[in-house]
Amino acid sequence: MFRRSQLESVKAWIANPAHAAMPLHARIQRAVRQLIVDGALGPGKPLPASRALAASLGVSRDTIETAYAQLHAEGFIDRRVGSGSFVAEISEFTPGRRRSRRDTLPSDPAPALSRRGAAVFEGGGVREMPVPRPFAHGVPETRTFPLALWERLERQVRKEVGAQSLFHGDPQGTEPLRRAIADYVNLERGARATADRVLVLTSSQQAMSLCATLLFDPGDGIFLEDPAYYGARKAFEAAGLDCVPIRVDRQGIVVDHILAEPQRAKAVFLTPSHQFPTGATLALDRRLALIEWAARHRAWIIEDDYDSEFRYAGKPTACVQGLDPHGRTIYIGTFTKSLFPGLRIGYAVLPPSLVKPMTVARTLLDGHTAPMAQLTLARFMEGGHFGAHVRTMRGVYAERLDALAGLVRRHLSDFVEPQVPIGGLQMPCLLTGDLTERAAVDAARRAGIELLGLSALHAAGDGKAGFLMGFAAYTPFEIETAVRKLETAFRAATKP
């Protein structure tokens, strides 16, 4: 018979609400199995007779018999006709087996990660808020997205394609979407793209990780804008690359520093259309200089064109990839900012020589992007709905940027100076008073407001203190409410 503590353990397992979905016999079987695995029931120990255990637990004998039969099938107990049921002689290496003091295994609370694994973990990853709050950056407006239209297009695709959309998809991406992407970047961004050079991915972050692991060896150098997008730096550092920070000014990355040491790195990572986080646009002469540098030294230009759809002043400049006749530029784009984050579709326009290697490497990560979403997006773009949506949101975002800039000047002028951008989904603000960046971010968080500090984006550690304020996902009323909360929070944080 079980000791009282063992019987109570089984009863507790049965009564646990977390196990309520299991049949009763399965709960009893799991509870007894756990006693064996933990070493509470040692090898050769007899189990209670099925009738006796049924009476103790208030269940039918058949329930106990079913539980014992499963334990026997799994090798945890032996059943001997006329003698009863006994704990099987399981290997001495059973996880919960009781050991003598001399036989105790050393404790190892920390996982034994590889150097790359430790770098990934210590980097903290890239996490987004499930439900954004002001002023989380890089978040588009989703409440006004034409969801009914999207659902109608999805039904059309499902009716036409049928069960084919339920199978594995092409790792490179569905041909209709690759064609639509190529047409779009050629027309709107001045790219040199064809459908066979497009690789559909889940995100721009995946594209950067692929570049980091496929094109470079640990220790290789890569030039990085300083300040830079934190997701890019983390991807390259996790791959063991030597990230060489290059200063950014009002005309983008300072190319002279790269040309002074042209062989120090095998690539450069850029956000040339709208530098993150400063908002600077890379000057044409610098673009051409980088293209020449990459061609001369067989280096790569990794161009992240993350939110170029949203420009509020002047005409957009052509992407670097479209200016590069040598095929040394990898162009990365995403629909996370232009449509909605939950879509999880990004892409890369690759030099012909990289299409097959990148596609093969991608199959080791997640196989392919969901075909139904790809085909629906392709139809959304082919029907002109994507362009119409972007034009609508461009006007909405411009209004919200004006509202944010005016409110910051009116209510936060004692603390910050807004750096109004000509595009994008966020506005940088530089601290001008006694409030420190850490104190500002912490005070905002206590008030339920999210700010991204600028200092952490500077590798050299000499950047001006400040923060980013995302504005695209929030109405003028929500922006005003949040700015007033910030004013109160900042004033409280600066009181002596």
Side-chain angles (χ1 to χ4, degrees), residues 154-170:
E154 189 175 54
R155 287 194 298 271
Q156 291 176 5
V157 169
R158 191 180 299 115
K159 183 177 181 181
E160 294 177 16
V161 180
Q164 188 66 35
S165 66
L166 306 181
F167 298 142
H168 285 292
D170 185 339

Side-chain angles (χ1 to χ4, degrees), residues 178-179 182 186 192-198 349:
R178 289 189 284 113
R179 185 176 59 245
N186 288 342
R192 300 167 180 250
T194 54
D196 61 336
R197 293 176 60 182
V198 175
V349 179

Side-chain angles (χ1 to χ4, degrees), residues 144-157:
T144 59
F145 181 78
L147 196 56
L149 169 62
W150 183 272
E151 290 172 341
R152 177 164 59 83
L153 296 175
E154 189 175 54
R155 287 194 298 271
Q156 291 176 5
V157 169

Side-chain angles (χ1 to χ4, degrees), residues 93-105:
F93 298 110
T94 300
R97 182 182 67 84
R98 295 185 184 276
R99 296 179 171 87
S100 67
R101 185 173 299 176
R102 289 181 303 173
D103 197 28
T104 300
L105 296 177

Side-chain angles (χ1 to χ4, degrees), residues 216-427:
F216 313 109
D217 292 314
D220 284 346
I222 181 169
F223 292 123
L224 219 61
E225 297 167 326
D226 192 32
Y229 171 55
Y230 52 87
R233 179 181 288 123
K234 289 182 177 183
F236 299 134
E237 288 179 343
L241 304 191
D242 176 21
C243 295
V244 182
I246 303 296
R247 185 172 61 86
V248 170
D249 63 19
R250 292 184 179 181
Q251 297 186 69
I253 193 168
V254 180
V255 178
D256 292 346
H257 297 338
I258 294 175
L259 301 182
E261 297 182 275
Q263 295 181 322
R264 185 175 177 185
K266 293 185 176 181
V268 60
F269 174 81
L270 303 171
T271 50
S273 297
H274 181 231
Q275 203 277 330
F276 187 93
T278 67
T281 298
L282 186 60
L284 178 59
D285 61 335
R286 298 187 183 187
R287 294 172 185 238
L288 297 176
L290 286 174
I291 290 170
E292 180 64 22
W293 164 78
R296 185 182 298 271
H297 297 282
R298 305 298 294 168
W300 297 107
I301 298 172
I302 302 174
E303 177 180 13
D304 183 10
D305 206 20
Y306 64 103
D307 67 357
S308 62
E309 291 88 358
F310 304 112
R311 190 177 180 94
Y312 315 119
K315 294 183 179 181
T317 56
C319 64
V320 173
Q321 193 268 358
L323 300 172
D324 179 6
H326 311 293
R328 304 302 301 179
T329 302
I330 299 166
Y331 178 89
I332 298 172
T334 179
F335 294 99
T336 297
K337 307 290 191 294
S338 54
L339 292 179
F340 54 93
L343 182 58
R344 306 316 301 153
I345 294 182
Y347 58 91
V349 179
L350 302 169
S353 61
L354 289 184
V355 173
K356 286 187 177 180
M358 283 281 193
T359 302
V360 170
R362 187 272 169 87
T363 64
L364 296 175
L365 299 179
D366 60 354
H368 59 85
T369 304
M372 179 62 72
Q374 291 187 67
L375 294 170
T376 304
L377 175 56
R379 189 153 300 195
F380 190 77
M381 298 178 74
E382 291 164 354
H385 308 300
F386 177 71
H389 178 70
V390 167
R391 287 190 295 272
T392 298
M393 300 318 296
R394 190 181 292 137
V396 170
Y397 296 165
E399 178 187 350
R400 294 179 178 184
L401 173 58
D402 287 343
L404 176 62
L407 287 164
V408 168
R409 291 190 181 105
R410 191 176 314 139
H411 296 283
L412 303 179
S413 59
D414 291 343
F415 309 101
V416 298
E417 178 184 343
Q419 309 292 297
V420 183
I422 61 172
L425 308 181
Q426 53 273 327
M427 180 178 75

